[in-house]
Amino acid sequence: MADEERGKRRRGRRGGRGGAHRRPIEERDEAPGAEPEEPIITEEESPGQPTVRRFRFGGGGKKDSGGAKERGRREERGSSTAAGSVSPMDFWRSGSPRAYRPVQTTAARGPWWMRRITGFYLPPWAPVVGIIVVVFGILGFLFLVRSATGAPRIGDHWHAPYQFFACGEKQPNATVWESGVHTHADGIIHIHPFRTFEEGSGARLVKWFEYGGGKLTSSSVNIPGSTKTYTNGDTCPDGKPGELQVYVTRAGATAEERLQGRALTRFIPHDGDRIRIVFGPPEEIIQTEDRTVIPEEQATRTIEVVVTDDGTEAGTRFEPNSIEVAQGEVVKLDVTNTGKISHEFR
């Protein structure tokens, strides 16, 4: 009995203390089969009254199955976070990754051309196309340069005999040197380029002089291996002023032509060309075409002459090395060159 009286007094105190704040229980429409909502404990404050805990039934709307408070906290964090920022902790807080990252929009400033550049979009394939264009451009340039270089090229092997006369006297041959355009002191210009800079214009006659340590211009000459330079206006022993003259007989031609000015500095000797360099009084060129002066039927006999050599001018041999012709006798000479050097024998 004592326990029951204490319980009644306790309930009476509770009812007297919170009677002014008691609210009726509101009836709510619940869906069939829905689980009853948990009571919500609220704290209300009144002037002069201590804080009282109350149980409220209803008024909570739909059941917060997903955690309304947690969603509210995430929304607050999302609103306070700058647009477009992604925190690595979002996944751990929300339990799902962010699948879309908003693009930050910035206002373009400056002149129109600066805005055009900063707003320019380069497709991903553009760098690949650019590299391909650059590579093919370089290959095309090298092909054009190679084609413009011209002959001779690496692999060619040409020979052009030469002679040098100064004031009426034949001068020694140039000394030996090693390069793609060189000589073996045999009176022959050897042209077979080893490197690309010796091809085409690198095999010009002036370059041949340069490779050997000499010099050739339109007004002066210094044969490689010689310390003497002949310049237009220098006098010869006979007191006459000399002049540089360069003559060439093209391969397969019979007429001799003089090279002057740009024609001289740009001249490239070809296989079989014959070059004659002269310093002295100007020559008067009188050249006639090769022809049969005396009909062959007038010849009383034929003499065969064979020319041989060992690859050098000094090694040239004639067989027979002399012939005898009687006065008034008409003979026919049949000359055959079996050597490697093209001679100026007529």
Side-chain angles (χ1 to χ4, degrees):
M1 295 296 292
D3 293 338
E4 293 179 0
E5 291 179 359
R6 283 195 296 271
K8 291 180 181 180
R9 287 196 295 270
R10 189 179 298 112
R11 287 194 294 273
R13 285 196 298 271
R14 290 177 181 173
R17 187 183 305 157
H21 302 282
R22 183 171 299 171
R23 294 183 180 180
I25 298 175
E26 298 177 358
E27 295 182 1
R28 295 169 291 138
D29 295 334
E30 296 181 356
E35 298 179 1
E37 296 183 348
E38 296 290 338
I40 302 174
I41 302 175
T42 62
E43 294 182 3
E44 297 179 0
E45 295 182 1
S46 299
Q49 296 287 342
T51 302
V52 180
R53 295 179 179 272
R54 297 294 183 192
F55 289 90
R56 179 181 298 174
F57 295 90
K62 295 183 179 180
K63 184 178 179 181
D64 187 10
S65 60
K69 292 183 180 180
E70 182 62 24
R71 287 198 297 271
R73 285 195 293 268
R74 289 201 299 269
E75 291 175 358
E76 292 177 0
R77 288 197 301 271
S79 61
S80 61
T81 306
S85 64
V86 177
S87 173
M89 298 302 297
D90 285 348
F91 172 76
W92 302 106
R93 291 170 180 167
S94 62
S96 60
R98 179 172 293 181
Y100 172 70
R101 181 174 182 175
V103 180
Q104 296 183 358
T105 57
T106 57
R109 299 179 180 179
W112 66 269
W113 55 269
M114 181 61 70
R115 295 195 301 269
R116 179 64 64 84
I117 293 175
T118 54
F120 179 73
Y121 171 73
L122 190 65
W125 48 263
V128 178
V129 174
I131 294 174
I132 294 175
V133 171
V134 170
V135 171
F136 276 92
I138 294 175
L139 294 177
F141 174 77
L142 295 177
F143 177 77
L144 292 176
V145 171
R146 174 75 173 177
S147 300
T149 300
R153 295 191 175 94
I154 296 176
D156 293 334
H157 199 163
W158 296 350
H159 299 91
Y162 74 93
Q163 291 180 322
F164 178 46
F165 297 90
C167 297
E169 295 184 2
K170 188 178 184 304
Q171 302 300 309
N173 296 328
T175 56
V176 180
W177 70 83
E178 293 297 331
S179 72
V181 183
H182 61 277
T183 185
H184 297 296
D186 53 359
I188 300 175
I189 298 175
H190 295 257
I191 304 173
H192 47 99
F194 298 146
R195 290 156 289 193
T196 55
F197 68 83
E198 297 170 340
E199 296 178 308
S201 61
R204 290 173 294 163
L205 181 63
V206 294
K207 298 297 290 184
W208 178 80
F209 275 84
E210 180 181 327
Y211 296 150
K215 187 175 182 180
L216 175 66
T217 67
S218 58
S219 60
S220 64
V221 59
N222 171 232
I223 289 292
S226 174
T227 58
K228 175 67 174 176
T229 300
Y230 298 90
T231 306
N232 288 352
D234 292 348
T235 57
C236 290
D238 59 0
K240 296 181 180 180
E243 178 182 342
L244 175 63
Q245 305 155 77
V246 179
Y247 302 95
V248 59
T249 303
R250 308 279 184 176
T254 57
E256 190 177 57
E257 62 178 292
R258 182 176 177 179
L259 302 176
Q260 294 177 314
R262 290 174 59 87
L264 173 61
T265 58
R266 299 174 64 177
F267 172 66
I268 301 175
H270 283 65
D271 190 32
D273 289 352
R274 299 187 300 275
I275 302 169
R276 187 165 62 95
I277 304 171
V278 178
F279 180 81
E283 294 184 1
E284 182 180 357
I285 301 177
I286 301 177
Q287 181 72 40
T288 58
E289 296 182 357
D290 288 346
R291 64 187 186 276
T292 302
V293 179
I294 301 175
E296 294 185 16
E297 58 271 13
Q298 295 183 9
T300 57
R301 62 188 176 110
T302 300
I303 302 177
E304 294 184 357
V305 179
V306 179
V307 183
T308 61
D309 59 66
D310 57 1
T312 64
E313 187 175 354
T316 302
R317 298 289 183 270
F318 291 86
E319 295 292 341
N321 58 6
S322 63
I323 58 175
E324 293 183 1
V325 180
Q327 183 177 3
E329 183 183 12
V330 177
V331 298
K332 174 184 176 182
L333 296 180
D334 188 357
V335 181
T336 303
N337 185 3
T338 61
K340 301 178 181 179
I341 300 177
S342 176
H343 301 279
E344 297 184 4
F345 179 78
R346 297 181 180 178

